[in-house]
Amino acid sequence: MFEPTMIIAAASLVGLAIVAWALLRAWHGWLALKRQELERFQTPGNPDEGSSLGAARIEISDLKERIKKLEAIASGVDL
């Protein structure tokens, strides 16, 4: 009545369904996390102004550039 190939096929299908469900839940959780991050960085006063996230990224890149220059000076390399 139940052949081994049918049992393996049914078990594989159930396993695939479980993995797909788990991945879907993880995807929704990740989207919710990103939505919270976006809401956290919005300015409360005027939503059209945007956030200060761009300015922070520029400042971080400037600091990284300064660190590279200082490391070059410390190692004796001319820029």
Side-chain angles (χ1 to χ4, degrees):
M1 182 166 148
F2 290 109
E3 294 182 26
T5 55
M6 291 296 287
I7 294 172
I8 291 172
S12 298
L13 188 60
V14 169
L16 182 64
I18 290 171
V19 168
W21 178 79
L23 289 174
L24 185 63
R25 293 270 304 184
W27 176 253
H28 284 294
W30 185 81
L31 287 177
L33 174 69
K34 291 300 173 181
R35 196 172 294 124
Q36 286 177 350
E37 286 179 359
L38 288 173
E39 289 173 357
R40 184 177 58 202
F41 285 118
Q42 286 181 349
T43 57
N46 189 359
D48 293 333
E49 289 179 9
S51 67
S52 62
L53 185 61
R57 286 183 180 168
I58 292 172
E59 187 174 340
I60 288 174
S61 67
D62 287 343
L63 290 175
K64 286 181 181 179
E65 198 173 313
R66 288 181 187 176
I67 289 172
K68 286 181 185 178
K69 287 180 181 178
L70 290 173
E71 287 175 347
I73 291 171
S75 65
V77 176
D78 284 335
L79 296 177

